[in-house]
Amino acid sequence: MVEGSKRREVTTREWQEFKPRTVRAVKAFGEGREEMLSCQLELSFEPGALITGVRPASWLEGTWLEGTLEGRVGLVPEDRVEYLPALSDSD
């Protein structure tokens, strides 16, 4: 966990109503940590990776997100990604 990060409280109802988003990695994460990542829930990625179905990981302290990358579901640190514009119903 990132020291000094604030917990983001999201109620169950808010989480259920939160529309999953797509994010793009702006910084690498998990490089050189393969042994650690294999037994944890964190995703490893390079800059430019698209992570889909992203929602806040409200059950964790800090600014973690849950998402899917190449068929793997896991945790993503929010400070390593940027949100892509949400598509509206009219798009």
Side-chain angles (χ1 to χ4, degrees):
M1 299 291 161
V2 178
E3 282 190 42
S5 60
K6 296 179 182 176
R7 185 179 178 133
R8 183 177 180 182
E9 294 292 332
V10 178
T11 67
T12 301
R13 181 182 175 114
E14 287 172 331
W15 190 87
Q16 291 170 342
E17 292 174 355
F18 186 83
K19 293 187 182 194
R21 298 278 304 274
T22 298
V23 298
R24 178 184 300 121
V26 294
K27 295 181 184 176
F29 181 72
E31 187 174 326
R33 297 176 19 148
E34 287 76 20
E35 310 82 39
M36 292 175 60
L37 291 172
S38 65
C39 64
Q40 294 185 13
L41 300 174
E42 299 170 357
L43 293 175
S44 178
F45 50 82
E46 295 294 323
L50 295 179
I51 303 165
T52 60
V54 174
R55 295 181 179 204
S58 61
W59 48 278
L60 288 174
E61 287 189 29
T63 53
W64 289 88
L65 305 170
E66 296 176 284
T68 303
L69 174 64
E70 299 173 355
R72 296 173 296 146
V73 176
L75 298 173
V76 177
E78 192 170 30
D79 65 346
R80 300 291 177 109
V81 299
E82 65 182 358
Y83 285 90
L84 297 180
L87 296 177
S88 68
D89 293 335
S90 62
D91 290 344

